[in-house]
Structure formats: C-alpha cells, structure tokens
Amino acid sequence: GKHMVAVMVPMLEKRLEEEKKPEVKAVIARVLGEAKQASSVDALVNAIEPAATDSDAKTMNKEIAIALGNIGDKKAVPALVKLLKTKDNYTVIAAIEALGDMKATEAFDALYFIGTDDAIEPFITKKAIIALGNMGDPRAVPGLVRAMFKERKGISFYGESSFALYQLGKPAADLLVPVVD
C-alpha cells in the first residue's frame, strides 16, 4: 500500500544513485515511476546517460523518461528536453510523450521542431504532433496545418494533425477558416 511506498522510495532513490548496472537502474526507475513521488526526480535525472550507446543504457534512459512522465513534475522538463536529442528512438518517444502529457510548454520549441522537420523519422514526427495537441499551445497551429497536407515515405500525418488541431480548439479554428475558404 501507500505506506510501503513511502518507506521504500528514499531507499530506492539512494540505490539508484549507487547502482552501476543500467539494467538494474531501469527496474528501479520503473518502480519509482509507479510510486510517483516528486522527491525521485533528482535521482532519476542524475541517473540518465545522455551518450548511451549500449542497449541496456538506452533501455534505462527510456525507463527514466517514462518514470519522469509518470511523476509529472515540471522540474524534470529540462532533462526530458535533453533526452529528445539522444540517438535512441524509443527514449526520444518516451521523452516526447512525457512532455506532452505534462503539457510542458517550456519544451514547445523542441517538440515543434520535431513535429515539423522533414528529416525526422515519420513515427517520431507523429508522436511530436500528438504531444503538441496534448500541450494545447496555439503556436503549434501553423505547423499542424501544414502537416495535415504533408506526406513522407508514403506516410500521412493527417489524422494526428487534424486531431491535434481539434484539441487546440478556437485558435486553430480561427486559422483554419481561411484555409478552408
């Protein structure tokens, strides 16, 4: 129950800082993410390996990003933004989803870039478009309108973009009227 969590969390945070094996850190990160205590953010952020190349370290980074998203504390935003630049797609997706769920407008520019840059993997672009919709920042409208009519490698972004625009509501509607006319 809840009491067990309160006792375990500080112990797990300490263990995360001392642990060397990324596969063990990944498991601890998952448990801390489920416990959802803001106190865990620093330990999780400190455990990130930004230059991870081996699969265990990449998995650990992904689990940390998911955990930070589950905790939902804005203190984690800068670390999640940094994770958007890692070489591991699964970690990038976890960071995008965490930032979107947290409605972290501080990450808007980074997510907007990913959502509108043609050089980025289409499935990552889709995740960024979804995150922009969740974030609800009207600055996303021009890029989302363009994305509706864009196709890359035979993949359309219409569904994700139109739903994101729907989520944005009035600011999106005001800009869409001239498009429709």
Side-chain angles (χ1 to χ4, degrees):
K2 203 78 178 137
H3 178 68
M4 187 66 180
V5 168
V7 176
M8 278 179 64
V9 166
M11 195 180 75
L12 287 169
E13 291 165 357
K14 192 167 159 45
R15 178 74 202 274
L16 185 62
E17 283 166 20
E18 292 163 358
E19 181 57 51
K20 296 282 175 269
K21 291 195 183 76
E23 58 272 38
V24 178
K25 287 182 172 182
V27 174
I28 297 171
R30 192 175 302 139
V31 175
L32 289 174
E34 285 164 11
K36 295 186 171 138
Q37 302 295 307
S39 64
S40 305
V41 171
D42 290 337
L44 287 163
V45 166
N46 293 336
I48 293 170
E49 281 182 38
T53 49
D54 66 294
S55 67
D56 284 338
K58 287 177 180 177
T59 300
M60 177 193 72
N61 284 343
K62 180 196 75 177
E63 290 297 341
I64 291 171
I66 293 169
L68 291 170
N70 287 341
I71 293 167
D73 190 299
K74 287 278 174 89
K75 214 168 45 164
V77 169
L80 287 165
V81 170
K82 279 196 197 107
L83 282 175
L84 295 174
K85 294 183 169 61
T86 59
K87 294 281 173 262
D88 178 54
N89 286 343
Y90 297 105
T91 302
V92 171
I93 288 168
I96 289 170
E97 290 178 340
L99 290 164
D101 291 346
M102 287 162 72
K103 300 184 178 3
T105 48
E106 310 91 312
F108 174 83
D109 292 331
L111 288 174
Y112 189 76
F113 177 78
I114 293 170
T116 54
D117 180 15
D118 288 342
I120 287 172
E121 281 292 329
F123 70 97
I124 293 181
T125 297
K126 285 182 180 241
K127 294 289 184 186
I129 290 169
I130 293 165
L132 289 166
N134 291 338
M135 198 174 275
D137 190 317
R139 290 176 294 168
V141 171
L144 292 171
V145 171
R146 281 195 303 276
M148 279 172 70
F149 306 103
K150 204 181 270 183
E151 216 172 83
R152 288 203 330 253
K153 300 179 185 172
I155 295 166
S156 159
F157 304 95
Y158 183 83
E160 292 80 9
S161 310
S162 54
F163 184 68
L165 287 163
Y166 165 76
Q167 286 176 291
L168 285 168
K170 183 139 175 51
D174 293 343
L175 275 164
L176 274 174
V177 171
V179 175
V180 176
D181 294 346

